Amino acid sequence: MEQALAEARKGRFWATPNPHVGCVIVSDNKILGKGFTQPVGGAHAEIMALGACASPQGATAYVTLEPCAHQGRTGPCVEALISAGIGRVVGALEDPNPSVSGKGYDRLRAAGIAVTQGVYSEAARVELAGFLLRMERGWGRVRLKLACSLDGRTAMASGESQWITGALARQDVQRQRAASSVIITGIGTVLADDCSLTVRSDELGLRGEELTRALHRPPTRVVLDSNARTPGEARVLSSNAPTLVVTANEKQVPAGALHKTAPVTEAGLDLGDVLESLGSQGANEILIESGPSLAAAFLKADLVDELLIYQAPVLLGSSARPLADLAFSELKDGIQLAYQELSPLGSDLRIIAAVLKGN
Ligand SMILES: NC(=O)c1ccc[n+]([C@@H]2O[C@H](COP(=O)([O-])OP(=O)(O)OC[C@H]3O[C@@H](n4cnc5c(N)ncnc54)[C@H](OP(=O)(O)O)[C@@H]3O)[C@@H](O)[C@H]2O)c1
């Protein structure tokens, strides 16, 4: 299953809106074939792995997610496993997609195939968090990415923020973007930085097939811009990736941009509505790359699952801008987090912290 998870990871850049699944087929302790989810309309992991096997009769298939039992854009994987004569299926997770959920494993058992479920399910859940969350609650995993100083500052008072962190941290951000379905930013960042928010081949530090996969499906850039202030010449509208401008009501947005309106709350655009709408369009991984105003709004609305912080060993001082414009007067009001990962990246630190729900 560890090898099936490693296969799954290969599909993380291009499988969305499908889950990126891995499959390894084994017989007599030898790997006969491996596979991972291909882009939409292409083969699922099981089909690719079966295609790589000379003779899968009686073999065991390790899959990171329950094989599908329904006819989608491709045929049901369970039928392919059954007709290939697979003897046993070991699965990590049940698929929460209502058209699969439990039916895949049931169909395999009904065909006389031994099924073991729940193997490495925690690791598989981490790998597939975006897809699983979208199936369970309507929108995918929401990660708030910020680059900051050791004293938690994200930009100077003048707005200057490029670049706080070093080249390796920025390379990692490129990979996070490539693995995201959408990147959300606020109009404040577009106006201050004129950022393009694209995935750039020369900054990913990847080669060969992995580079091809990372560039296959550029994430959609989403600008939250109530009053349609996005300038027509803004880099975020560059033609190499789609851009969606979300406004408060029907407004003219620059040519070439997709447009959506969202309801308005006291705080600005209704962020829950924005996420639901992105979820309905299949966004599994949602990366927020905004300034402190929008970052605070997402945090206050309890809509962030994880902080993804790149922290540089520099102090920018108290007049520089914070991670998020949050003003708490009491310690008990603080937003509680749990560190998931701390890793050095060159001279910087990458911190992944889960937001504990119900703060
Ligand atoms: N270090 C980093 O990682 C990093 C990353 C990005 C940006 N930055 C820095 O952040 C600064 C910009 O920050 P910012 O706070 O001005 O801009 P921002 O957070 O990117 O955008 C804020 C704008 O988003 C719009 N918005 C729409 N709905 C909203 C809602 N529900 N809640 C809050 N805002 C909503 C509002 O404008 P409307 O009312 O007009 O819609 C608001 O003014 C720049 O200096 C940039 O360099 C740093």
Side-chain angles (χ1 to χ4, degrees):
M1 189 59 84
E2 278 175 12
Q3 298 209 33
L5 282 163
E7 280 299 296
R9 260 192 95 58
K10 294 182 187 167
R12 74 192 188 282
F13 293 132
W14 69 8
T16 192
N18 291 333
H20 55 286
V21 176
C23 177
V24 174
I25 297 177
V26 177
S27 184
D28 294 329
N29 278 328
K30 282 202 195 81
I31 291 181
L32 305 181
K34 301 196 239 185
F36 57 93
T37 315
Q38 301 297 297
V40 172
H44 288 184
E46 299 89 326
I47 307 302
M48 193 178 163
L50 283 171
C53 294
S55 168
Q57 193 74 28
T60 298
Y62 292 83
V63 276
T64 59
L65 184 69
E66 179 177 7
C68 64
H70 64 297
Q71 177 72 44
R73 290 186 192 90
T74 57
C77 290
V78 284
E79 300 308 331
L81 292 165
I82 294 165
S83 36
I86 288 291
R88 181 177 175 225
V89 169
V90 181
L93 294 169
E94 194 168 295
D95 190 339
N97 182 345
S99 50
V100 183
S101 190
K103 297 188 191 90
Y105 289 136
D106 287 351
R107 172 76 186 103
L108 292 170
R109 285 196 183 94
I113 294 177
V115 174
T116 307
Q117 284 175 244
V119 174
Y120 275 67
S121 54
E122 243 170 71
R125 188 155 178 106
V126 170
E127 190 58 50
L128 281 180
F131 171 78
L132 298 173
L133 284 169
R134 180 166 69 84
M135 288 298 134
E136 288 158 7
R137 70 181 182 191
W139 65 88
R141 177 167 64 166
V142 180
R143 302 175 107 196
L144 172 60
K145 170 256 147 185
L146 289 157
C148 71
S149 59
L150 186 57
D151 51 349
R153 302 288 159 168
T154 52
M156 302 315 287
S158 64
E160 182 190 357
S161 71
Q162 288 167 346
W163 302 104
I164 294 174
T165 49
L168 272 185
R170 298 208 299 278
Q171 174 180 287
D172 195 68
V173 171
Q174 283 285 315
R175 294 179 190 181
Q176 300 290 346
R177 280 184 189 168
S180 299
S181 319
V182 297
I183 300 166
I184 298 182
T185 194
I187 181 64
T189 296
V190 169
L191 295 176
D193 295 354
D194 194 16
C195 45
S196 61
L197 300 179
T198 47
V199 177
R200 297 181 280 272
S201 62
D202 55 337
E203 293 177 35
L204 281 159
L206 300 174
R207 285 187 306 177
E209 288 180 9
E210 208 177 9
L211 178 62
T212 306
R213 291 196 291 270
L215 296 172
H216 177 80
R217 175 205 45 80
T220 300
R221 300 160 293 182
V222 179
V223 184
L224 302 193
D225 178 14
S226 316
N227 301 301
R229 291 188 284 147
T230 305
E233 65 285 4
R235 287 202 190 119
V236 77
L237 299 170
S238 62
S239 57
N240 46 356
T243 304
L244 171 70
V245 177
V246 185
T247 63
N249 32 50
E250 282 308 332
K251 293 230 162 61
Q252 187 73 29
V253 299
L258 303 164
H259 180 213
K260 168 191 153 42
T261 59
V264 180
T265 67
E266 267 177 22
L269 295 173
D270 182 336
L271 303 178
D273 180 88
V274 170
L275 293 181
E276 271 174 22
S277 152
L278 294 173
S280 71
Q281 285 159 40
N284 291 334
E285 291 291 344
I286 298 164
L287 190 67
I288 303 170
E289 293 198 45
S290 73
S293 315
L294 193 57
F298 270 104
L299 284 165
K300 280 196 254 180
D302 204 8
L303 290 172
V304 178
D305 297 307
E306 275 182 13
L307 297 187
L308 176 61
I309 305 287
Y310 297 88
Q311 191 176 53
V314 59
L315 300 173
L316 294 179
S318 54
S319 63
R321 300 203 60 191
L323 277 176
D325 280 330
L326 295 165
F328 300 127
S329 48
E330 294 186 55
L331 202 57
K332 70 170 175 45
D333 295 333
I335 293 174
Q336 301 295 327
L337 309 168
Y339 287 130
Q340 307 289 298
E341 185 198 296
L342 300 168
S343 26
L345 273 182
S347 56
D348 303 316
L349 200 55
R350 184 178 82 172
I351 302 170
I352 300 180
V355 178
L356 300 179
K357 295 292 167 181
N359 271 289

Short mmCIF file of all heavy atoms in Angstrom, two decimals, residues 7-32:
data_model
loop_
_atom_site.label_atom_id
_atom_site.label_comp_id
_atom_site.label_asym_id
_atom_site.label_seq_id
_atom_site.Cartn_x
_atom_site.Cartn_y
_atom_site.Cartn_z
N GLU A 7 2.38 5.80 -5.94
CA GLU A 7 1.81 5.92 -7.29
C GLU A 7 0.75 7.03 -7.31
O GLU A 7 0.72 7.87 -8.21
CB GLU A 7 1.14 4.60 -7.72
CG GLU A 7 2.08 3.55 -8.21
CD GLU A 7 2.85 3.99 -9.46
OE1 GLU A 7 2.23 4.21 -10.51
OE2 GLU A 7 4.08 4.10 -9.37
N ALA A 8 -0.11 7.02 -6.27
CA ALA A 8 -1.19 8.01 -6.21
C ALA A 8 -0.64 9.43 -6.29
O ALA A 8 -1.17 10.28 -7.01
CB ALA A 8 -1.98 7.83 -4.90
N ARG A 9 0.45 9.66 -5.59
CA ARG A 9 1.05 11.01 -5.56
C ARG A 9 1.43 11.52 -6.94
O ARG A 9 1.40 12.71 -7.21
CB ARG A 9 2.30 11.01 -4.66
CG ARG A 9 2.03 11.57 -3.29
CD ARG A 9 3.27 11.85 -2.49
NE ARG A 9 3.74 13.23 -2.57
CZ ARG A 9 3.03 14.30 -2.25
NH1 ARG A 9 1.80 14.17 -1.82
NH2 ARG A 9 3.54 15.50 -2.34
N LYS A 10 1.74 10.58 -7.84
CA LYS A 10 2.11 11.00 -9.20
C LYS A 10 0.94 11.67 -9.91
O LYS A 10 1.12 12.44 -10.85
CB LYS A 10 2.57 9.79 -10.03
CG LYS A 10 3.85 9.15 -9.54
CD LYS A 10 4.22 8.01 -10.47
CE LYS A 10 5.39 7.22 -9.93
NZ LYS A 10 5.57 5.94 -10.65
N GLY A 11 -0.28 11.32 -9.48
CA GLY A 11 -1.46 11.88 -10.17
C GLY A 11 -1.97 13.17 -9.56
O GLY A 11 -2.97 13.72 -10.01
N ARG A 12 -1.27 13.69 -8.52
CA ARG A 12 -1.84 14.80 -7.76
C ARG A 12 -1.95 16.09 -8.56
O ARG A 12 -2.76 16.95 -8.25
CB ARG A 12 -1.05 15.04 -6.47
CG ARG A 12 0.30 15.70 -6.66
CD ARG A 12 1.10 15.61 -5.36
NE ARG A 12 2.33 16.38 -5.38
CZ ARG A 12 3.46 15.99 -5.98
NH1 ARG A 12 3.51 14.84 -6.63
NH2 ARG A 12 4.54 16.74 -5.93
N PHE A 13 -1.12 16.26 -9.60
CA PHE A 13 -1.16 17.50 -10.36
C PHE A 13 -2.30 17.53 -11.39
O PHE A 13 -2.71 18.59 -11.80
CB PHE A 13 0.16 17.70 -11.12
CG PHE A 13 1.35 17.95 -10.23
CD1 PHE A 13 2.53 17.24 -10.42
CD2 PHE A 13 1.31 18.91 -9.22
CE1 PHE A 13 3.65 17.49 -9.63
CE2 PHE A 13 2.42 19.16 -8.43
CZ PHE A 13 3.59 18.45 -8.62
N TRP A 14 -2.72 16.35 -11.86
CA TRP A 14 -3.61 16.41 -13.03
C TRP A 14 -4.94 15.67 -12.92
O TRP A 14 -5.75 15.75 -13.82
CB TRP A 14 -2.85 15.99 -14.28
CG TRP A 14 -2.47 14.52 -14.40
CD1 TRP A 14 -2.83 13.50 -13.57
CD2 TRP A 14 -1.69 13.95 -15.45
NE1 TRP A 14 -2.31 12.34 -14.02
CE2 TRP A 14 -1.61 12.58 -15.18
CE3 TRP A 14 -1.07 14.45 -16.59
CZ2 TRP A 14 -0.91 11.70 -16.00
CZ3 TRP A 14 -0.38 13.58 -17.40
CH2 TRP A 14 -0.29 12.22 -17.11
N ALA A 15 -5.17 14.92 -11.83
CA ALA A 15 -6.38 14.08 -11.80
C ALA A 15 -7.66 14.88 -11.53
O ALA A 15 -8.73 14.49 -11.95
CB ALA A 15 -6.23 13.00 -10.74
N THR A 16 -7.54 16.02 -10.82
CA THR A 16 -8.73 16.75 -10.39
C THR A 16 -9.67 17.05 -11.56
O THR A 16 -9.17 17.33 -12.66
CB THR A 16 -8.32 18.07 -9.67
OG1 THR A 16 -9.46 18.62 -9.03
CG2 THR A 16 -7.73 19.10 -10.61
N PRO A 17 -10.99 16.94 -11.42
CA PRO A 17 -11.75 16.76 -10.19
C PRO A 17 -11.81 15.32 -9.68
O PRO A 17 -12.41 15.06 -8.65
CB PRO A 17 -13.14 17.25 -10.57
CG PRO A 17 -13.26 16.94 -12.03
CD PRO A 17 -11.87 17.15 -12.59
N ASN A 18 -11.21 14.37 -10.42
CA ASN A 18 -11.19 13.00 -9.92
C ASN A 18 -10.19 12.89 -8.78
O ASN A 18 -9.23 13.66 -8.72
CB ASN A 18 -10.80 12.03 -11.04
CG ASN A 18 -11.89 11.91 -12.09
OD1 ASN A 18 -13.06 12.12 -11.79
ND2 ASN A 18 -11.51 11.61 -13.32
N PRO A 19 -10.36 11.90 -7.90
CA PRO A 19 -9.37 11.69 -6.85
C PRO A 19 -8.11 11.08 -7.47
O PRO A 19 -8.20 10.29 -8.41
CB PRO A 19 -10.06 10.68 -5.94
CG PRO A 19 -11.03 9.96 -6.81
CD PRO A 19 -11.48 10.94 -7.86
N HIS A 20 -6.94 11.46 -6.98
CA HIS A 20 -5.71 10.85 -7.51
C HIS A 20 -5.44 9.58 -6.70
O HIS A 20 -5.13 9.61 -5.53
CB HIS A 20 -4.54 11.82 -7.51
CG HIS A 20 -4.21 12.44 -6.20
ND1 HIS A 20 -4.95 13.43 -5.63
CD2 HIS A 20 -3.19 12.20 -5.34
CE1 HIS A 20 -4.41 13.77 -4.47
NE2 HIS A 20 -3.34 13.03 -4.27
N VAL A 21 -5.61 8.46 -7.40
CA VAL A 21 -5.57 7.13 -6.78
C VAL A 21 -4.36 6.38 -7.31
O VAL A 21 -3.94 6.60 -8.45
CB VAL A 21 -6.88 6.37 -7.11
CG1 VAL A 21 -6.86 4.95 -6.57
CG2 VAL A 21 -8.09 7.13 -6.57
N GLY A 22 -3.80 5.49 -6.49
CA GLY A 22 -2.71 4.64 -6.93
C GLY A 22 -3.10 3.18 -6.79
O GLY A 22 -3.90 2.82 -5.92
N CYS A 23 -2.54 2.34 -7.65
CA CYS A 23 -2.83 0.90 -7.60
C CYS A 23 -1.56 0.11 -7.90
O CYS A 23 -0.80 0.47 -8.81
CB CYS A 23 -3.91 0.57 -8.63
SG CYS A 23 -4.32 -1.19 -8.72
N VAL A 24 -1.33 -0.94 -7.11
CA VAL A 24 -0.19 -1.84 -7.36
C VAL A 24 -0.74 -3.26 -7.37
O VAL A 24 -1.48 -3.64 -6.46
CB VAL A 24 0.88 -1.67 -6.25
CG1 VAL A 24 1.99 -2.69 -6.43
CG2 VAL A 24 1.46 -0.26 -6.27
N ILE A 25 -0.39 -4.04 -8.39
CA ILE A 25 -0.87 -5.43 -8.47
C ILE A 25 0.31 -6.36 -8.21
O ILE A 25 1.38 -6.22 -8.82
CB ILE A 25 -1.53 -5.69 -9.84
CG1 ILE A 25 -2.78 -4.78 -9.94
CG2 ILE A 25 -1.92 -7.16 -9.98
CD1 ILE A 25 -3.52 -4.85 -11.24
N VAL A 26 0.10 -7.27 -7.26
CA VAL A 26 1.20 -8.08 -6.74
C VAL A 26 0.83 -9.57 -6.82
O VAL A 26 -0.32 -9.94 -6.55
CB VAL A 26 1.45 -7.71 -5.25
CG1 VAL A 26 2.54 -8.58 -4.64
CG2 VAL A 26 1.81 -6.24 -5.11
N SER A 27 1.80 -10.40 -7.15
CA SER A 27 1.61 -11.85 -7.09
C SER A 27 2.92 -12.48 -6.64
O SER A 27 4.00 -12.07 -7.11
CB SER A 27 1.21 -12.38 -8.47
OG SER A 27 0.94 -13.76 -8.37
N ASP A 28 2.86 -13.42 -5.73
CA ASP A 28 4.07 -14.08 -5.20
C ASP A 28 5.13 -13.05 -4.79
O ASP A 28 6.33 -13.20 -5.14
CB ASP A 28 4.68 -15.04 -6.25
CG ASP A 28 3.76 -16.21 -6.52
OD1 ASP A 28 3.03 -16.60 -5.59
OD2 ASP A 28 3.74 -16.68 -7.67
N ASN A 29 4.69 -12.00 -4.11
CA ASN A 29 5.60 -10.96 -3.64
C ASN A 29 6.33 -10.22 -4.76
O ASN A 29 7.35 -9.59 -4.53
CB ASN A 29 6.64 -11.52 -2.65
CG ASN A 29 6.03 -11.61 -1.27
OD1 ASN A 29 5.17 -10.80 -0.92
ND2 ASN A 29 6.44 -12.61 -0.51
N LYS A 30 5.81 -10.32 -5.96
CA LYS A 30 6.40 -9.56 -7.08
C LYS A 30 5.37 -8.57 -7.60
O LYS A 30 4.19 -8.92 -7.74
CB LYS A 30 6.78 -10.50 -8.22
CG LYS A 30 8.04 -11.26 -7.98
CD LYS A 30 8.62 -11.71 -9.34
CE LYS A 30 9.67 -12.76 -9.14
NZ LYS A 30 9.12 -14.11 -8.95
N ILE A 31 5.83 -7.35 -7.91
CA ILE A 31 4.91 -6.36 -8.48
C ILE A 31 4.74 -6.65 -9.96
O ILE A 31 5.71 -6.70 -10.72
CB ILE A 31 5.44 -4.93 -8.24
CG1 ILE A 31 5.35 -4.62 -6.74
CG2 ILE A 31 4.65 -3.91 -9.06
CD1 ILE A 31 5.82 -3.25 -6.35
N LEU A 32 3.48 -6.89 -10.36
CA LEU A 32 3.20 -7.18 -11.78
C LEU A 32 2.90 -5.90 -12.55
O LEU A 32 3.19 -5.80 -13.74
CB LEU A 32 2.00 -8.11 -11.90
CG LEU A 32 2.03 -9.43 -11.14
CD1 LEU A 32 0.76 -10.22 -11.40
CD2 LEU A 32 3.26 -10.25 -11.54
#
